[in-house]
Amino acid sequence: MAEWLYKMRKTGLKYGLLVSALITTSSFLIALSAFSCEQKAEGKKDAVSNEIGGRLIPMNQPQIPLGLAKRAEMSSQAFLKFFKTPTQQFIPLGFYAILHDIRDSEKLKTLGSRGIILFHRYHSEQSVDKALKDLESAREAGVAVLQNLPRKYFTTRGRDFWQRHISALAGNEQILVWYLPEETKEKDLDQLKLISDIIRNTDTRKRPLITYVVDWHADYLRRVNSMTDAVVFGAYPSYHGTQPRIEIKRRIDHAYKNGVLVVIAALEALKGKYNWTRPKDVRFDAYLAFISGAKGIMWYSYASAKQRPELIEAVLNVATELNGPERLGEVILSDQKPRLLNCQAVKGPAYFHDDYKYETGVRTSLKLSSIQWTAREYEKYLYIFAVNTAQKLRAAEDGGEACRVTVKFGPINSKSSQVQVISEDRTIDLSGGYFTDTFEPLGTHIYKVRID
């Protein structure tokens, strides 16, 4: 396990931060009715049979308006370069609420060795002195910090305070990303822009800025996007116990549709209303987010997850898949999508019937495919990332057989007779360029096969 090694490389007037490593808040929640995988949108009759035999399921495409596609790609590359080394493109993965453990270098080092990139400590009154001590601990551990800014002073202190505070921290090399005060209300966005501008004008390394948004209205999202390099937008389905997990996709889609150029998913690792986030939820949420176009993840929160060893291990297992030797993060961030690959339904519910028009609160009849998937061709291999969003809330086994879906992928041009299922210790027969697999409710599968 290697530590982070920081170098500054000057190109013209711009600085990039190279990171070298071997694998290594309360959120706003929209109350949604519980829909099972076989329910229809209220007041509408579904013209398509719920059994999906033979139907082609299109590959997921990020919901970026055509006119913004080029800008979004440029913005994404500009952001991701801060997570790129000469040998690997890492994907931004982080923990919120490290709290006092941020002073424990050994714990930080362990998390970093498993693929966690960004470490954030909530502290509403964090002084420069305390921030520098946190950064020193991170330096000793060889990890990077998502630099907190003290929210208590967000609207009570003016330009001089923020200039002094940011200037005192801007020279520290352990800062990889700045975190603007989160959940800013629309009426306070001028103050957020003030702080953003100070950072832009002070930080000679031009490190990126991100923040977590509290509102979903288009004008608000576009304005926050104009001040940051990525917007954190997420869902905590277990928190109230009333949201299906597909809500994560819907929020990412909504952000892209309304002008956000780079989305970081905020995902849960916490105790919800009825149950804790489960290990299978962690993996499902992460890959659904990436299938939907997210460019990174912040999990909320380390302080909660560390209370349940199986939960924090689930997060670290996903981080290891993405930033470890398998390099799935690098794969999914690449843009080499296969042209001819199809996903064909064999058996199971066609759609998860759940949609919510954010601006009005009115449900519509738009149906989302139960199977969400994407694929990449990368270094002589084909990778397929797929999840089954069908579920029945609070039901045994999330709905069990009624929400189980079987699909067939192909054609795949390969001399191999088997497909590897990553992290599942199994393979699937590849016959005539096709293979078939079954997804349990909220099931997640990642396939890898050598291509000719």
Side-chain angles (χ1 to χ4, degrees):
M1 299 182 292
E3 295 183 348
W4 291 97
L5 302 174
Y6 292 86
K7 292 182 180 179
M8 318 272 269
R9 185 176 63 185
K10 186 174 182 180
T11 305
L13 297 177
K14 295 183 178 180
Y15 289 81
L17 183 60
L18 286 180
V19 185
S20 234
L22 173 67
I23 125 66
T24 44
T25 278
S26 55
S27 165
F28 76 91
L29 292 161
I30 300 172
L32 299 174
S33 299
F35 278 75
S36 73
C37 54
E38 58 265 58
Q39 282 178 299
K40 307 296 185 289
E42 184 177 356
K44 300 288 183 178
K45 184 176 181 181
D46 184 11
V48 180
S49 170
N50 202 42
E51 285 295 324
I52 56 177
R55 188 176 73 88
L56 291 180
I57 304 171
M59 185 185 301
N60 190 285
Q61 300 293 336
Q63 298 299 297
I64 299 170
L66 185 60
L68 292 179
K70 187 173 181 179
R71 280 184 58 199
E73 177 60 24
M74 293 175 61
S75 296
S76 176
Q77 293 305 314
F79 176 68
L80 292 171
K81 74 179 181 181
F82 285 87
F83 302 88
K84 188 174 184 178
T85 73
T87 59
Q88 184 172 347
Q89 172 68 68
F90 290 85
I91 197 163
L93 304 175
F95 260 127
Y96 280 127
I98 301 291
L99 302 184
H100 302 297
D101 283 352
I102 204 164
R103 298 284 179 86
D104 189 328
S105 295
E106 290 304 312
K107 287 185 179 179
L108 299 187
K109 188 179 298 184
T110 297
L111 295 173
S113 72
R114 298 289 300 277
I116 298 297
I117 303 296
L118 292 170
F119 296 78
H120 177 263
R121 175 178 185 171
Y122 282 115
H123 196 313
S124 64
E125 300 177 319
Q126 187 181 43
S127 65
V128 168
D129 181 62
K130 290 179 178 178
L132 290 174
K133 288 179 180 177
D134 292 346
L135 289 163
E136 175 58 22
S137 176
R139 187 194 67 78
E140 292 175 1
V143 301
V145 169
L146 174 57
Q147 183 55 51
N148 175 72
L149 293 176
R151 182 171 178 77
K152 182 176 181 180
Y153 308 124
F154 175 50
T155 57
T156 61
R157 302 294 176 91
R159 177 183 293 274
D160 290 345
F161 169 84
W162 288 109
Q163 182 66 67
R164 289 194 303 272
H165 189 92
I166 291 163
S167 296
L169 297 175
N172 195 287
E173 297 181 14
Q174 301 309 125
I175 297 173
L176 184 54
V177 179
W178 295 93
Y179 193 67
L180 297 178
E182 66 176 21
E183 299 190 355
T184 301
K185 296 179 181 178
E186 189 168 8
K187 66 183 180 64
D188 295 322
L189 287 183
D190 286 346
Q191 181 71 0
L192 194 72
K193 187 175 189 306
L194 169 70
I195 298 171
S196 171
D197 288 346
I198 290 173
I199 296 174
R200 300 287 194 205
N201 293 327
T202 303
D203 182 11
T204 59
R205 297 173 181 83
K206 305 302 179 186
R207 289 165 287 195
L209 287 67
I210 70 174
T211 192
Y212 184 97
V213 290
V214 70
D215 202 341
W216 60 88
H217 293 100
D219 290 344
Y220 170 91
L221 290 172
R222 284 194 287 268
R223 192 168 179 207
V224 174
N225 176 79
S226 73
M227 305 174 196
T228 60
D229 298 283
V231 170
V232 185
F233 199 63
Y236 304 149
S238 298
Y239 191 77
H240 285 173
T242 56
Q243 291 181 322
R245 306 206 78 82
I246 202 171
E247 174 69 5
I248 291 153
K249 168 184 167 54
R250 295 182 48 261
R251 294 199 184 191
I252 294 170
D253 286 353
H254 180 79
Y256 279 132
K257 287 176 182 178
N258 287 281
V260 175
L261 300 178
V262 182
V263 175
I264 304 297
L267 303 181
E268 66 176 25
L270 48 74
K271 185 177 181 180
K273 182 175 181 179
Y274 303 114
N275 58 270
W276 283 81
T277 308
R278 302 166 299 181
K280 76 180 232 178
D281 298 333
V282 169
R283 196 162 188 259
F284 172 89
D285 294 351
Y287 286 104
L288 177 59
F290 290 129
I291 289 168
S292 304
K295 303 303 181 183
I297 294 172
M298 287 300 299
W299 278 284
Y300 183 82
S301 68
Y302 175 78
S304 295
K306 74 173 189 175
Q307 300 175 45
R308 293 177 74 85
E310 67 273 23
L311 178 52
I312 201 163
E313 185 63 19
V315 173
L316 296 180
N317 284 340
V318 169
T320 302
E321 285 181 345
L322 291 162
N323 281 335
E326 194 68 56
R327 299 166 70 137
L328 293 182
E330 182 171 278
V331 172
I332 206 162
L333 289 175
S334 69
D335 59 1
Q336 301 172 36
K337 296 181 180 179
R339 295 181 179 180
L340 301 178
L341 184 68
N342 290 312
C343 176
Q344 183 176 352
V346 176
K347 184 179 180 181
Y351 303 105
F352 188 89
H353 296 267
D354 186 75
D355 191 68
Y356 185 94
K357 190 175 177 65
Y358 282 91
E359 293 86 348
T360 66
V362 176
R363 289 192 174 279
T364 74
S365 59
L366 177 63
K367 300 181 292 293
L368 298 170
S369 295
S370 294
I371 296 296
Q372 297 288 322
W373 70 285
T374 191
R376 302 289 187 274
E377 292 179 350
Y378 195 75
E379 295 184 351
K380 299 183 179 180
Y381 286 91
L382 171 68
Y383 295 82
I384 303 172
F385 304 83
V387 300
N388 175 21
T389 66
Q391 71 173 124
K392 186 172 182 180
L393 292 181
R394 300 186 64 197
E397 299 179 340
D398 296 298
E401 185 175 355
C403 295
R404 191 174 295 138
V405 179
T406 300
V407 295
K408 179 168 68 173
F409 290 100
I412 300 170
N413 185 19
S414 176
K415 294 180 181 179
S416 175
S417 61
Q418 290 189 323
V419 178
Q420 177 189 354
V421 189
I422 293 176
S423 298
E424 294 188 38
D425 194 27
R426 68 184 177 103
T427 59
I428 302 173
D429 290 339
L430 181 66
S431 177
Y434 290 83
F435 72 92
T436 300
D437 201 12
T438 296
F439 291 72
E440 297 298 318
L442 304 182
T444 303
H445 299 313
I446 304 164
Y447 308 103
K448 179 181 179 182
V449 59
R450 182 69 180 249
I451 51 178
D452 299 330

